[in-house]
Amino acid sequence: SPYRDPRKRTEREDLNCSLWQDNSMSVKRFAFVKFSEVTEQCFLLFSLILFMFLASLTGNALIALAIWTNPALHTPMYFFLANLSLLEIGYTCSTIPKMLQNLVSEARGISREGCATQMFFFTVFGISECCLLAAMACDRYMAICSPLHYATRMSHGMCVHLAMVSWGVGCIVGLGQTNYIFSLDFCGPCEIDHFFCDLPPILALACGDTSHNEAAVFVAAILCISSPFLLIIASYGRILAAVLVMPSPEGRQKALSTCSSHLLVVTLFYGSASVTYLRPKASHSPGVDKLLALFYTVVTSMLNPIIYSLRNKEVKTALQRTLGKKNVLTHR
């Protein structure tokens, strides 16, 4: 009927797979499974995720701004930290806004192109962060194990090069993975049992036998997640060996204190990513995958600026100066 409410029509179409298929019966639009039929639970989760999202954006933006505006922090370690903050902002912005919409709206649909775009940016920022954390570990290795050559080997040009390589690897892997997944046909069902367009739940909707595709995604995950992680382990193994032979307890404590924040961030990020993407397919379940997704997309991004601001006196001082400047400008 022409007198139907357009909003209701859209909501009904968002849940009707048959309206999303062309003549070749390939799904052109998806819908996210509703989190809960209890409205109060959805609004409670919406409020919690929104709070963590805003806290993550604010914390990471403040750290990047503090490093940018304070010349004392224009060193390799803080250059990488500023890049990490920018990656965290992109990481959360690529998934959480759509996640929040799905929690409170009946229109939970997303086009095939929109889903591919979300997967691309999520993969870019995730893989780039893996590589950047490895670059940060190499920086700490050079600072502690080769302090006399640190200034020349970790020059500004070298830091920019390492950051560009990290972002470049993320872009290449993201483009390759997204093209590989969305070159498949999706015959239905069209509902994604997840909060966003992540690799495993989208691959589960593809037609036919996808074992070869799953194996390729698994190999790519091992290469892109495990390789930087092994480099981090090797760097910290050398750092620990160098610290243990230091004669001064104060020197050992100072050396380890410069690594503690990075180690904690690596543990949080790699712990959740490894459990999500490197565990066997048989152990996957939608409920566990959703909880892990909430952790590595929201919680870790919110905790990173807290970890660096609480455990690093220089960052804490820079943040106080930055906030103090803002307060002065506001009063004027």
Side-chain angles (χ1 to χ4, degrees):
S1 170
Y3 301 103
R4 288 187 300 173
D5 185 348
R7 182 179 61 83
K8 292 182 179 179
R9 183 173 68 250
T10 302
E11 293 171 2
R12 190 158 45 248
E13 289 176 359
D14 275 345
L15 299 175
N16 189 349
C17 294
S18 64
L19 294 177
W20 295 343
Q21 298 175 352
D22 59 13
N23 293 332
S24 65
M25 298 303 293
S26 179
V27 173
K28 296 300 180 184
R29 193 169 174 82
F30 302 96
F32 294 97
V33 173
K34 193 171 185 179
F35 173 77
S36 173
E37 295 298 330
V38 181
T39 305
E40 289 76 10
Q41 290 182 357
C42 291
F43 275 102
L44 178 62
L45 187 59
F46 172 86
S47 302
L48 180 61
I49 293 176
L50 179 61
F51 169 77
M52 290 190 292
F53 177 53
L54 295 176
S56 174
L57 287 182
T58 304
N60 284 294
L62 282 175
I63 284 185
L65 181 63
I67 293 173
W68 179 266
T69 57
N70 285 270
L73 299 185
H74 292 178
T75 62
M77 182 174 71
Y78 296 112
F79 172 79
F80 290 128
L81 179 56
N83 273 268
L84 180 65
S85 296
L86 294 177
L87 282 173
E88 292 289 3
I89 292 172
Y91 195 65
T92 54
C93 288
S94 64
T95 56
I96 296 181
K98 185 63 178 176
M99 189 188 302
L100 292 171
Q101 179 191 346
N102 297 335
L103 285 170
V104 295
S105 173
E106 290 297 328
R108 301 187 306 277
I110 186 171
S111 66
R112 183 183 176 121
E113 294 77 14
C115 192
T117 301
Q118 187 183 62
M119 180 183 291
F120 168 73
F121 282 108
F122 173 76
T123 307
V124 166
F125 292 122
I127 298 300
S128 298
E129 184 163 344
C130 289
C131 297
L132 190 69
L133 289 172
M136 295 173 76
C138 292
D139 170 68
R140 292 298 84 208
Y141 163 73
M142 292 299 301
I144 294 173
C145 299
S146 186
L148 298 178
H149 303 285
Y150 178 71
T152 55
R153 293 182 179 178
M154 294 303 295
S155 62
H156 179 71
M158 176 59 70
C159 294
V160 172
H161 178 73
L162 290 174
M164 289 178 64
V165 168
S166 300
W167 286 83
V169 170
C171 290
I172 293 171
V173 174
L175 187 61
Q177 288 279 56
T178 305
N179 283 335
Y180 185 61
I181 296 299
F182 283 90
S183 63
L184 302 172
D185 287 328
F186 299 92
C187 307
C190 63
E191 287 192 321
I192 304 170
D193 197 2
H194 207 53
F195 288 122
F196 60 93
C197 294
D198 202 2
L199 288 167
I202 295 298
L203 193 56
L205 304 179
C207 304
D209 182 18
T210 60
S211 57
H212 295 307
N213 306 88
E214 292 170 1
V217 171
F218 184 75
V219 170
I222 289 179
L223 292 175
C224 299
I225 296 176
S226 299
S227 298
F229 185 59
L230 291 175
L231 182 58
I232 292 172
I233 291 177
S235 298
Y236 275 104
R238 298 290 297 273
I239 289 172
L240 183 61
V243 168
L244 290 177
V245 298
M246 288 182 178
S248 169
E250 293 79 9
R252 290 196 296 268
Q253 184 177 359
K254 183 179 179 180
L256 291 175
S257 66
T258 63
C259 303
S260 58
S261 298
H262 180 252
L263 274 174
L264 189 53
V265 169
V266 167
T267 302
L268 289 172
F269 181 79
Y270 271 98
S272 55
S274 300
V275 172
T276 302
Y277 297 106
L278 300 182
R279 62 195 171 106
K281 180 183 176 182
S283 63
H284 281 261
S285 68
V288 174
D289 290 345
K290 288 180 181 179
L291 288 176
L292 287 171
L294 283 176
F295 187 82
Y296 66 74
T297 56
V298 187
V299 179
T300 57
S301 297
M302 180 189 69
L303 291 179
N304 286 355
I306 297 175
I307 292 169
Y308 275 104
S309 61
L310 291 181
R311 300 180 65 86
N312 191 302
K313 293 181 179 179
E314 292 179 326
V315 173
K316 191 185 300 184
T317 302
L319 285 172
Q320 291 172 349
R321 290 176 180 173
T322 302
L323 292 174
K325 290 178 183 178
K326 287 189 172 183
N327 290 334
V328 171
L329 292 174
T330 302
H331 288 307
R332 287 182 180 177

